[in-house]
Amino acid sequence: MTDVPSIAPTAPEPTLLERVNSALLTLTARASQQKSETELAAINAASDRAEKAAAALEAIADTAAEFTNRGLSCTLPSLPPAASKAVTNLRAAATRVRDSDQTDDLTGRLKGSAVQDALKAAENLAKASIQVLRNAAEAERVRLADGKDRPITNLPGRESLQVQAKRIQATLRQPASGTTADLLAAIDKWREAADGWDDVIRELERAVSELPEEIQAFVEAAASDDGAGWSLVTSTVRDWLDTSDNGDGYRMRKW
Amino acid sequence: VTTTPIPPCWSRAEIQNAAQVDAGGLEFADDASDAVFNAVHQIVPLARLGEGRQEQPVTEDDVLEDICQQLNSNEPLIRFITGKVGTGKSHLVRWLATAVPSSDRWHRVYIEKRDTSLRRIIEQILAGIDTAAANSLRASLSHAATQVATVPEAMLAVLNQLHQMVEFDDAPVIAGQSGADLAESREYAARLLGDFTFKKQLSVAGGPIERIVKLAMNGHGADADVRPEDLRFDQTDLRVDPDAFADVGSEFLTKIRSLVSSQLRRTEVAAIIDYYMPRATAAVVTGGGTDLVSAFADVRRELARRGKELFLFVEDLVLLHGIDGHLAQALTVPARRDLCGIRAVIAVTTGHLDSRYDTFADRGVHYTMDVRREDINLGDLRTFVGRYLNVGRVGRTELATAARLGMGTPNKCTDFYGRGDGPAQPCPFVDRCHQTFGTTAEGHGLFPFNASAVDRLIQLASPNGFSPRNILRRVVREPLAVAEAELATPGRFPSARFAALLAPTRTAVPIVIRDTIAKMSANAEAEISLRAFYAANPPSIDTGLEAVAAIFGVQLTDLGDDAATPETIAPQLTTVVSTTTVDAWAAGKILPRDDAAKIRRWMIDALHVRLLNHPHGLAVSRSLNVIRIASTDINLRHVVVENGAGGGEEPAELAIRFTQGDADAVLLKGILSAGRDDLVGPNAGRWFFDLQARLAAWEQEIVDYATPQPVGQIEAALTVLGVLSSVDDRPRTTPAEAIAVMIRPSRPPDLHPEIKSFLTHDRVEKQRADALTVVRDRLTQRKSTGDPSIFDAGAVLRELLPASRKNEIPATGAGVDTLMWRTVQDRQTAAAAAAWAPVKKALNAIIGQVAPSEDFAETIQAMDRFVDRANRAGIFRDPDASQQYRLLRTGMTTANIARLRQLLKYQDATVSPADLWQLAHDPTQMLSDMAAFWKLCNSLLASARTPEQSSSQSTDVNSRVRLHNALRVLADRLEGQAKR
């Protein structure tokens, strides 16, 4: 006797209603999926902004402390009264995020005014603080550059001093730029340049003072934008120019 | 005489081959075909047409000598073989071609009929010629063949070519039209030919353009007649269907109307089209640049260079339609030093060489084959048939072998039986066969004919002139095919199919005798054919006929007095022609109006007399030719004579019909003779008794119809009224309401057409009228002597309501067997079946989309949601899907769904007559819309795009942790800065 092979009962064809319901469920799943993607985008956007603002405030605080250490005074701004609830709102949002169920949709909360305003307030505060730091640094630069923006005498045999003096002038003319951390480096650079200025200028003035008066007048006039007039080219000056290649750096010109 | 049958001794295939419509069907320059041709060739009378078309008898040899004579001038030697269709012109041309002695001086070109297209003709003329013009012409042909590879393409090209030629050619005279008349006709024809619809009308399958183009492209089939008129365009070809031009402008429609309504107009336009048709066809089929005249001159130059003459044989000039003008021009150019001499033998159908060919025709000598049959003696005609019979018996192979061995044509009867297996022996049946059936003068046996049969068949096939083609078809091919099929069964041959096309009713045997034989003989058809064709003096029996009948196994009937007194006895061989109008009618002709009218009147008179004397109790009256019996009228229209003139439209019922044939012809002869006061008439008056039986049956049918049905049962009448008022949905709660509905039922305006048809059917309305009559007679009373006006329902008071609620005839009841009930029941059953068929089809369509067990309303609501959401999500591929759904959704009302649910109950049930009323309001459209709705639902579900799986996953925990930390740290920083 042979075994009759068992035949698995075939599933009945789904009814139209069953197929409609299935399609509706598919639509729901699709909507849910779309919602999750929106929420994730909102979370990422809020996280990005918060992290960026926090990092900026931290850098500002650190820089402000360094300014103080370098003897610079600056007063960072506080939150404006209108954004006074920012801290509270951010903390409340963080708590909500922590305590919420995974299925809860955060999109609405994150896109709501409380979180958005708080983030905006933080971002504005960071911007205002950076501007305060930048102003403080610029004031220091102006202070250091004061009295150093003048013509540099071109004295034969002292060209290296002249170059050094011009570099210092260029450094002190360059305003602060870049990030908050770059401000500190700029201040240090300016101060180093200002410190070197006195030595260079003193050496250069000493070398000039050792020349005869006629030659001294000629050299100083020639260093100015107008140049030295023909009357200053006296025989003494001419002899000096003819000596030891002293005249190599000079050219005649007619206006 | 022994009755041992003689079997067929011929091969049908050999007969078919040998007896093709003419020699043109036989392949030229083929040994076997040549042997067959020589075996069947027979000298026929010819005449040379002299001055004033005087006929001067000549022989074939005279013609042969004529065409082979020394050319003493430069003029081309042109000989026309003229004759009517089927007179053997091609045969003679072929014989001349084979009889012309072999000579190196002649370059022969033979243009056959079979499968010869225009292109093939030109190629045949150019065969062996390799000159520039010839090559150009070949290239043009080849190009044309690729340009118009199919008939539809060629038709369109020809019509366009025609349009161009008609519009722009400047021929000053066309078919007698010239000047302003021609200009107007030309403009009119060009306007027609420029119209798309008109061109389509001319290009229909089987239409004139297809006919002409096919012949030009493919030539004539081997077994087809070459009819010059097939290549011509005449006014009958312009009978277009005006309805096809419904969408053209009014101006053009006016032109079409004038074309349709005026034969003169059609004739003018057809003449113009016919004038240009050959040129247009040739231009399309052979290529527009074809210059046959130039190529022909090249051919002649080349031949002159080779020192040869051109010898042209044309089996039929009609084949050259389209290039015949060029050929005629080329053939009339005299020979020169550089142009070779020409000899041409051209067969042409009489009448084809009309005024267009005057110059050409005048250059040649004309021989005619239009000879009278009487000019050929009977012996020659039998010999003619006998040769084909012999060829059919011997066969092509044996003939070719004999020809190769230099033997004459063998005779299968005496020479060749058993050939190859030993010495020649005669056919074993030869003595009895030849003694019974006879032989020709050349010794060919006539079996399965005898001399009388051959003579008679030839006379029928070729009644006036000598038409060998018809003789071959009607005397040799078709009867032999019948004989081959029937001889195996004794008593069957020669049946009515024998020579059916020649003498369908075998009129040599008078109708009365045919009718008698039909009633008395076991092999009536064969006996009638034998008497008609094989008897020396039809229809009388002679010893020769008896011998033939014995071999065929046909018993001849002893006709006694009938045979002794036939109506007409032809004293000679001539087949008896129809002697009376009724004879002609039996042979398929129309019975003239006078005789038909006499017969109808006589029948009405006879019926009237019978009705007056019949004990049926019905009132019978007569007014002229109308008999009124009860309420039924019988008039002349009720006497239907098939194929009889007059009589008017045949009524649907109660008609007596005389069908075209011997039996009824005898009756009609009797009627006509009785009308002439000859009361005996044909067949010694037996016709009268046959007719009385027919009259009695007719009378009974009329009486049954006219007699009010015996609705003694008032219940039956009320039931019929109740059933027939079922469509009235008014309440029937009281007897008064019931009777009101039954007497005057109202019908809804949108009543189902089948129900309407049922209720208004003649027979049903009659039954209702009868039922009302019963009600009136039984349930009304009259005041004094006035009409009945008081309805007294007392006797049926209890039956009124149940009867009014009946919606079908019950299976049992007082009136079950009445005609009234049966009629209503049958019609209602038929109407129910007809009405439900489309409904069930529509229901099936719905079930195919949605299970009947589903909750339709719930499914529809779910669908609504689905469509709404899916539309918003934009997942339908068809942007209009939602709109379509909404449109069809409007029909899915609660009421309609309930109606659907109700109708679905009948889906698998057998429809009863009562179910007809379920369809009072035709639901077909509604169901069709519903089917469309459900189909759309399924379609939308299937077409909705499956949501794509996003690559990004849903919000994960890490993102939330990150957010939490970021917010918290930011809050700390803010707070820290505030504190600073």
Side-chain angles (χ1 to χ4, degrees):
Chain A
M1 183 177 167
T2 55
D3 293 337
V4 177
S6 61
I7 300 172
T10 53
E13 287 286 319
T15 65
L16 185 60
L17 179 60
E18 286 168 345
R19 283 186 287 133
V20 177
N21 285 335
S22 172
L24 282 168
L25 288 173
T26 306
L27 283 176
T28 302
R30 178 191 167 90
S32 172
Q33 180 179 313
Q34 284 179 334
K35 203 168 95 176
S36 297
E37 287 170 355
T38 308
E39 182 189 21
L40 185 59
I43 288 175
N44 286 337
S47 298
D48 289 346
R49 288 178 69 188
E51 285 171 353
K52 198 173 170 186
L57 289 173
E58 183 181 12
I60 287 164
D62 291 348
T63 304
E66 287 299 319
F67 273 34
T68 305
N69 291 340
R70 284 170 174 75
L72 292 176
S73 66
C74 65
T75 304
L76 293 177
S78 295
L79 279 172
S84 58
K85 289 184 178 174
V87 174
T88 309
N89 288 340
L90 287 173
R91 291 197 187 286
T95 306
R96 174 76 180 175
V97 170
R98 184 194 64 197
D99 297 342
S100 66
D101 190 78
Q102 187 73 14
T103 57
D104 290 347
D105 189 359
L106 299 175
T107 311
R109 175 169 290 270
L110 293 178
K111 290 189 175 178
S113 60
V115 173
Q116 291 296 315
D117 290 351
L119 288 172
K120 191 70 186 169
E123 287 163 349
N124 289 339
L125 179 63
K127 277 183 194 169
S129 298
I130 288 172
Q131 193 57 45
V132 166
L133 290 175
R134 205 181 294 280
N135 291 342
E138 185 64 11
E140 175 67 1
R141 184 188 70 81
V142 171
R143 185 186 68 80
L144 292 171
D146 185 38
K148 297 183 177 67
D149 192 14
R150 62 181 191 182
I152 305 298
T153 305
N154 184 10
L155 189 64
R158 295 291 189 273
E159 285 83 359
S160 63
L161 287 174
Q162 185 186 11
V163 169
Q164 284 181 46
K166 284 189 174 178
R167 280 184 185 159
I168 290 168
Q169 282 182 326
T171 300
L172 290 173
R173 280 192 204 110
Q174 184 72 39
S177 64
T179 63
T180 311
D182 294 336
L183 293 176
L184 288 172
I187 289 169
D188 290 345
K189 197 174 165 186
W190 293 330
R191 285 188 172 182
E192 184 185 356
D195 288 346
W197 174 262
D198 290 341
D199 294 339
V200 171
I201 287 298
R202 196 178 305 118
E203 179 63 19
L204 197 57
E205 287 174 346
R206 187 191 61 78
V208 172
S209 65
E210 288 174 357
L211 293 172
E213 277 189 18
E214 285 178 50
I215 295 170
Q216 205 174 116
F218 168 77
V219 170
E220 289 175 349
S224 69
D225 290 338
D226 293 337
W230 183 251
S231 60
L232 293 179
V233 187
T234 60
S235 58
T236 306
V237 171
R238 204 173 298 143
D239 291 340
W240 176 79
L241 288 173
D242 292 336
T243 304
S244 302
D245 301 330
N246 283 338
D248 286 355
Y250 295 99
R251 295 286 184 274
M252 292 187 67
R253 113 186 141 194
K254 181 177 184 297
W255 294 108
Chain B
V1 175
T2 174
T3 57
T4 308
I6 298 174
C9 54
W10 63 91
S11 155
R12 182 189 292 200
E14 297 295 348
I15 289 289
Q16 297 286 340
N17 176 64
Q20 295 185 67
V21 292
D22 52 37
L26 291 170
E27 191 177 351
F28 187 69
D30 171 71
D31 287 347
S33 294
D34 287 346
V36 170
F37 180 79
N38 290 327
V40 298
H41 175 67
Q42 181 165 347
I43 295 170
V44 294
L46 273 169
R48 177 171 174 150
L49 292 176
E51 294 282 329
R53 303 194 67 77
Q54 194 72 32
E55 292 187 5
Q56 179 185 354
V58 293
T59 65
E60 291 175 349
D61 290 334
D62 294 336
V63 180
L64 180 62
E65 191 178 337
D66 179 27
I67 62 172
C68 294
Q69 65 176 290
Q70 179 75 33
L71 291 181
N72 295 319
S73 76
N74 291 334
E75 285 301 312
L77 187 149
I78 300 173
R79 299 294 180 258
F80 294 103
I81 310 295
T82 64
K84 295 194 180 84
V85 171
T87 50
K89 303 181 295 295
S90 307
H91 186 101
L92 179 59
V93 170
R94 183 183 179 122
W95 181 83
L96 290 169
T98 55
V100 163
S102 172
S103 170
D104 291 340
R105 291 184 300 115
W106 292 334
H107 174 79
R108 300 187 200 200
V109 173
Y110 190 90
I111 297 175
E112 296 178 78
K113 266 187 188 176
R114 61 201 290 274
D115 301 330
T116 303
S117 63
L118 275 182
R119 179 184 176 186
R120 186 166 150 74
I121 289 168
I122 298 175
E123 286 172 344
Q124 282 176 330
I125 293 172
L126 299 179
I129 306 298
D130 189 19
T131 64
N135 288 336
S136 167
L137 190 48
R138 281 196 194 92
S140 176
L141 288 174
S142 175
H143 181 69
T146 58
Q147 288 293 302
V148 285
T150 65
V151 171
E153 282 175 322
M155 286 199 292
L156 183 60
V158 165
L159 282 168
N160 289 338
Q161 193 79 38
L162 267 177
H163 181 206
Q164 188 182 355
M165 288 176 170
V166 169
E167 183 143 17
F168 298 111
D169 192 68
D170 55 0
V173 180
I174 295 178
Q177 299 180 73
S178 61
D181 288 347
L182 176 59
E184 195 274 335
S185 293
R186 192 187 281 280
E187 185 186 349
Y188 181 83
R191 176 71 182 88
L192 294 178
L193 288 167
D195 181 75
F196 173 76
T197 310
F198 187 78
K199 284 194 275 198
K200 275 189 75 176
Q201 284 277 298
L202 292 189
S203 308
V204 295
I209 303 298
E210 186 191 66
R211 181 186 72 229
I212 294 169
V213 167
K214 272 186 172 176
L215 288 174
M217 287 183 78
N218 307 323
H220 291 72
D223 201 21
D225 286 338
V226 176
R227 302 191 314 161
E229 58 268 30
D230 284 348
L231 288 160
R232 303 296 295 269
F233 194 98
D234 70 15
Q235 60 91 12
T236 59
D237 292 325
L238 284 172
R239 286 185 182 146
V240 295
D241 177 10
D243 290 342
F245 297 86
D247 56 350
V248 301
S250 59
E251 172 260 340
F252 190 72
L253 196 56
T254 306
K255 286 187 172 8
I256 289 296
R257 286 194 182 122
S258 80
L259 183 76
V260 170
S261 60
S262 166
Q263 183 172 343
L264 179 64
R265 195 41 136 168
R266 288 200 299 275
T267 304
E268 290 169 352
V269 173
I272 292 175
I273 293 177
D274 185 57
Y275 179 82
Y276 289 109
M277 182 61 81
R279 279 171 56 190
T281 311
V284 169
V285 177
T286 66
T290 301
D291 182 359
L292 185 61
V293 176
S294 166
F296 208 83
D298 254 22
V299 170
R300 291 182 66 185
R301 267 192 290 274
E302 177 65 18
L303 293 178
R305 197 183 60 76
R306 297 179 191 176
K308 290 191 173 188
E309 292 174 359
L310 176 64
F311 209 147
L312 184 64
F313 298 89
V314 179
E315 281 192 352
D316 201 322
L317 185 65
V318 172
L319 295 171
L320 308 176
H321 192 69
I323 60 169
D324 47 358
H326 286 156
L327 192 69
Q329 186 183 345
L331 284 178
T332 49
V333 176
R336 301 194 304 253
R337 180 181 297 275
D338 62 334
L339 287 181
C340 74
I342 288 183
R343 299 165 191 270
V345 182
I346 301 169
V348 56
T349 308
T350 306
H352 185 67
L353 289 176
D354 55 20
S355 57
R356 294 174 299 170
Y357 303 91
D358 278 349
T359 308
F360 183 42
D362 289 347
R363 296 288 183 97
V365 172
H366 295 246
Y367 293 98
T368 179
M369 300 191 71
D370 288 335
V371 297
R372 291 172 302 167
R373 188 167 53 80
E374 291 74 18
D375 293 343
I376 308 173
N377 70 49
L378 286 173
D380 286 345
L381 290 173
R382 286 181 203 159
T383 302
F384 178 78
V385 172
R387 287 185 173 197
Y388 278 93
L389 289 172
N390 185 51
V391 166
R393 292 169 186 145
V394 177
R396 276 166 287 184
T397 309
E398 298 287 351
L399 286 170
T401 304
R404 205 166 45 249
L405 296 175
M407 300 164 59
T409 303
N411 183 341
K412 185 78 171 181
C413 300
T414 55
D415 300 339
F416 254 72
Y417 199 81
R419 190 174 187 280
D421 299 330
Q425 297 172 17
C427 166
F429 304 102
V430 66
D431 293 337
R432 191 155 56 91
C433 180
H434 284 194
Q435 182 186 352
T436 306
F437 293 96
T439 64
T440 68
E442 294 178 335
H444 298 135
L446 291 174
F447 176 77
F449 309 109
N450 64 6
S452 297
V454 170
D455 296 346
R456 201 157 283 124
L457 288 172
I458 287 175
Q459 186 185 21
L460 289 167
S462 181
N464 301 315
F466 173 60
S467 175
R469 181 178 301 171
N470 272 349
I471 293 173
L472 293 181
R473 267 186 185 163
R474 308 293 184 222
V475 181
V476 178
R477 288 174 63 174
E478 289 159 4
L480 285 186
V482 174
E484 189 178 336
E486 296 179 347
L487 275 174
T489 309
R492 192 171 169 206
F493 181 77
S495 71
R497 291 173 55 217
F498 176 75
L501 290 173
L502 295 179
T505 55
R506 293 156 291 181
T507 51
V509 182
I511 286 175
V512 177
I513 296 180
R514 291 205 302 265
D515 186 43
T516 305
I517 292 172
K519 287 171 178 161
M520 296 176 66
S521 172
N523 41 45
E525 293 298 337
E527 180 176 350
I528 292 170
S529 293
L530 281 177
R531 286 174 181 264
F533 294 108
Y534 287 73
N537 192 4
S540 302
I541 297 173
D542 52 65
T543 53
L545 181 64
E546 285 175 337
V548 170
I551 288 179
F552 287 159
V554 177
Q555 297 291 325
L556 298 175
T557 309
D558 179 6
L559 294 174
D561 292 343
D562 285 338
T565 57
E567 285 180 317
T568 306
I569 295 178
Q572 75 284 347
L573 295 169
T574 309
T575 302
V576 174
V577 295
S578 303
T579 53
T580 68
T581 53
V582 177
D583 289 317
W585 177 75
K589 300 283 193 302
I590 292 177
L591 188 68
R593 182 182 298 274
D594 285 352
D595 287 340
K598 284 176 191 167
I599 288 163
R600 292 189 188 102
R601 276 197 298 273
W602 193 92
M603 288 296 292
I604 289 294
D605 291 343
L607 175 67
H608 187 214
V609 171
R610 288 190 69 93
L611 287 170
L612 288 176
N613 295 307
H614 192 282
H616 47 66
L618 297 170
V620 176
S621 61
R622 180 166 180 183
S623 170
L624 293 177
N625 289 317
V626 179
I627 302 171
R628 169 157 292 184
I629 173 165
S631 60
T632 303
D633 287 348
I634 303 296
N635 55 35
L636 294 174
R637 288 194 304 121
H638 288 83
V639 182
V640 178
V641 180
E642 186 183 27
N643 208 13
E649 188 184 356
E650 183 179 335
E653 50 200 357
L654 301 181
I656 186 168
R657 165 176 278 272
F658 293 100
T659 53
Q660 225 163 356
D662 293 347
D664 282 2
V666 173
L667 299 181
L668 298 193
K669 273 177 174 272
I671 292 170
L672 290 174
S673 66
R676 293 192 299 267
D677 293 334
D678 174 8
L679 296 179
V680 177
N683 61 12
R686 284 200 300 277
W687 69 273
F688 183 78
F689 299 100
D690 293 340
L691 186 63
Q692 287 306 310
R694 296 275 293 276
L695 266 170
W698 186 32
E699 178 195 11
Q700 189 58 51
E701 185 187 358
I702 294 168
V703 167
D704 286 348
Y705 184 87
T707 304
Q709 293 301 310
V711 273
Q713 306 87 344
I714 185 68
E715 303 96 296
L718 290 175
T719 300
V720 165
L721 293 176
V723 170
L724 296 180
S725 61
S726 296
V727 289
D728 191 335
D729 53 4
R730 283 180 290 171
R732 305 167 197 201
T733 52
T734 66
E737 288 173 350
I739 199 72
V741 169
M742 285 194 291
I743 300 291
R744 301 190 70 173
S746 65
R747 294 172 186 170
D750 60 341
L751 186 61
H752 193 296
E754 284 293 345
I755 298 178
K756 195 171 182 180
S757 173
F758 161 63
L759 293 174
T760 56
H761 190 276
D762 288 349
R763 292 204 168 219
V764 174
E765 284 201 328
K766 180 177 184 307
Q767 301 314 319
R768 188 177 138 71
D770 287 350
L772 286 171
T773 305
V774 170
V775 170
R776 183 196 64 195
D777 291 348
R778 302 298 179 84
L779 302 180
T780 57
Q781 293 181 5
R782 65 187 72 205
K783 287 180 182 175
S784 183
T785 58
D787 289 336
S789 57
I790 300 174
F791 192 86
D792 180 4
V796 292
L797 199 58
R798 281 187 296 180
E799 282 77 24
L800 275 176
L801 275 176
S804 76
R805 289 170 183 160
K806 289 268 193 323
N807 49 23
E808 70 175 315
I809 302 297
T812 58
V816 165
D817 293 330
T818 62
L819 177 62
M820 176 190 286
W821 276 34
R822 283 199 307 275
T823 302
V824 173
Q825 196 170 38
D826 291 349
R827 294 285 169 189
Q828 190 181 354
T829 303
W836 271 95
V839 172
K840 288 202 169 191
K841 190 175 173 187
L843 289 172
N844 266 334
I846 291 174
I847 289 174
Q849 301 294 333
V850 59
S853 56
E854 288 203 39
D855 183 332
F856 295 149
E858 186 182 355
T859 304
I860 291 169
Q861 285 171 4
M863 269 306 297
D864 289 346
R865 288 196 297 276
F866 167 72
V867 171
D868 183 44
R869 289 179 56 185
N871 188 45
R872 274 192 279 118
I875 61 168
F876 288 138
R877 291 190 177 91
D878 180 358
D880 297 330
S882 172
Q883 195 177 350
Q884 291 172 23
Y885 176 82
R886 279 197 296 276
L887 195 65
L888 288 172
R889 173 69 174 83
T890 55
M892 303 303 291
T893 61
T894 307
N896 285 352
I897 290 171
R899 178 99 166 104
L900 169 63
R901 190 59 77 188
Q902 182 192 17
L903 292 171
L904 278 171
K905 291 176 187 167
Y906 295 89
Q907 178 58 16
D908 295 324
T910 305
V911 172
S912 73
D915 296 336
L916 175 66
W917 312 114
Q918 294 293 334
L919 306 179
H921 304 282
D922 189 358
T924 316
Q925 186 58 49
M926 177 198 80
L927 294 175
S928 175
D929 291 345
M930 284 183 155
F933 171 79
W934 293 118
K935 187 176 179 183
L936 179 65
C937 289
N938 279 300
S939 170
L940 291 179
L941 285 172
S943 73
R945 285 188 287 258
T946 307
E948 294 168 8
Q949 284 298 319
S950 170
S951 57
S952 62
Q953 297 304 310
S954 58
T955 313
D956 61 20
V957 176
N958 290 338
S959 301
R960 291 183 174 233
V961 170
R962 178 188 164 211
L963 176 63
H964 170 259
N965 290 339
L967 295 175
R968 191 176 49 74
V969 168
L970 180 58
D972 290 348
R973 297 282 174 223
L974 286 174
E975 203 170 43
Q977 185 155 332
K979 284 176 182 171
R980 267 199 301 275

